[in-house]
Amino acid sequence: MSKSRQISGRNLAKRYFFFVVGVLINSFGIAFITKAALGTSPISSVPYVLSLQFAPSLGAFTFVLNLGFILLQAALLGREFPKIQFLQIAVNVVFSAFIDVSMSLLAWLSPGSYPMKLLSLLFGCAILAFGIYVEVSAGVLMVPGEGAVTALSRSLKKEFGTVKVCFDVTLMATAVLLSLLFFHGLQGIREGTVISALLVGFLTKCFHRIFPGIPRFLAPSV
């Protein structure tokens, strides 16, 4: 194997390492937002409402939903779906399992007052945003939710940002309907869900500006 290929291989290993780290941080961020008790993130809203009604955990329902997102990508893109993206299934296993691990690790977190709940929510949003920043900086795979939005964007020939907003709104609306059906009121969907939808993207951009070192570190060696 040539030296250039060895360097390329090392760079790829670094990228996958940072990607997995980013996914784990994402899981912890979602758990932190959820434990703040002001609602969960939009991507977790449907699994969370289902977990409140049925026995399987938040992580288990997250796995099922994300598996649906992967199948949606494959169906929409057909032969254009990169085979490497089937690794999203493995990512889904790690992501979903660590959500449950994180929920257990954060069993102690139960903010009582509204200001503490809000502070916990903001901290969780920052954690999630940093995880997304690390994951995106790796530039190797997409997480299932992001992949589904990308596939819909390509199929509908619409901008990613527009589709992303519609995607999140659809998930939140579905969660609201399920909550009304199961509990005759809102459970798991609150102002924190909207705050996280608006804030996480902004914080992710901030991390890109504040910590440019990770993308530079992961840049291919010349």
Side-chain angles (χ1 to χ4, degrees):
M1 183 180 291
S2 68
K3 184 177 180 181
S4 62
R5 287 187 177 180
Q6 288 177 346
I7 293 173
S8 176
R10 282 194 225 104
N11 182 262
L12 193 60
K14 285 193 300 185
R15 287 175 175 271
Y16 274 103
F17 173 77
F18 272 85
F19 177 80
V20 172
V21 169
V23 168
L24 294 178
I25 296 173
N26 286 350
S27 299
F28 190 74
I30 286 174
F32 212 103
I33 290 171
T34 304
K35 293 294 289 185
L38 290 178
T40 189
S41 63
I43 195 69
S44 299
S45 57
V46 172
Y48 186 48
V49 171
L50 290 172
S51 73
L52 294 175
Q53 174 67 12
F54 301 105
S57 64
L58 173 58
F61 277 117
T62 297
F63 176 82
V64 173
L65 182 65
N66 281 342
L67 191 60
F69 290 156
I70 297 169
L71 295 175
L72 176 63
Q73 294 172 60
L76 289 174
L77 298 180
R79 294 181 180 179
E80 295 181 12
F81 181 66
K83 298 299 184 289
I84 188 68
Q85 292 299 332
F86 277 114
L87 285 176
Q88 289 181 38
I89 297 174
V91 173
N92 187 23
V93 172
V94 174
F95 177 70
S96 303
F98 200 70
I99 285 179
D100 284 344
V101 171
S102 298
M103 291 291 285
S104 296
L105 291 174
L106 293 171
W108 56 270
L109 182 61
S110 182
S113 65
Y114 190 84
M116 289 304 298
K117 289 181 180 180
L118 186 59
L119 184 62
S120 299
L121 170 69
L122 296 177
F123 191 64
C125 288
I127 296 172
L128 178 57
F130 185 72
I132 293 172
Y133 159 64
V134 174
E135 164 221 315
V136 171
S137 296
V140 284
L141 292 172
M142 289 184 286
V143 293
E146 178 190 338
V149 173
T150 301
L152 286 167
S153 176
R154 289 175 59 181
S155 299
L156 299 173
K157 295 180 172 56
K158 300 291 184 181
E159 291 184 359
F160 180 91
T162 301
V163 177
K164 172 64 174 171
V165 171
C166 294
F167 186 77
D168 286 347
V169 169
T170 300
L171 289 176
M172 289 189 288
T174 302
V176 167
L177 290 175
L178 289 173
S179 181
L180 292 174
L181 175 65
F182 296 146
F183 309 111
H184 307 289
L186 292 182
Q187 293 284 341
I189 307 296
R190 288 185 55 181
E191 62 271 31
T193 306
V194 178
I195 291 172
S196 64
L198 298 174
L199 188 59
V200 169
F202 170 75
L203 291 177
T204 302
K205 293 179 181 178
C206 290
F207 282 126
H208 273 283
R209 295 170 185 166
I210 298 170
F211 302 109
I214 292 179
R216 291 173 186 170
F217 176 70
L218 295 175
S221 303
V222 179

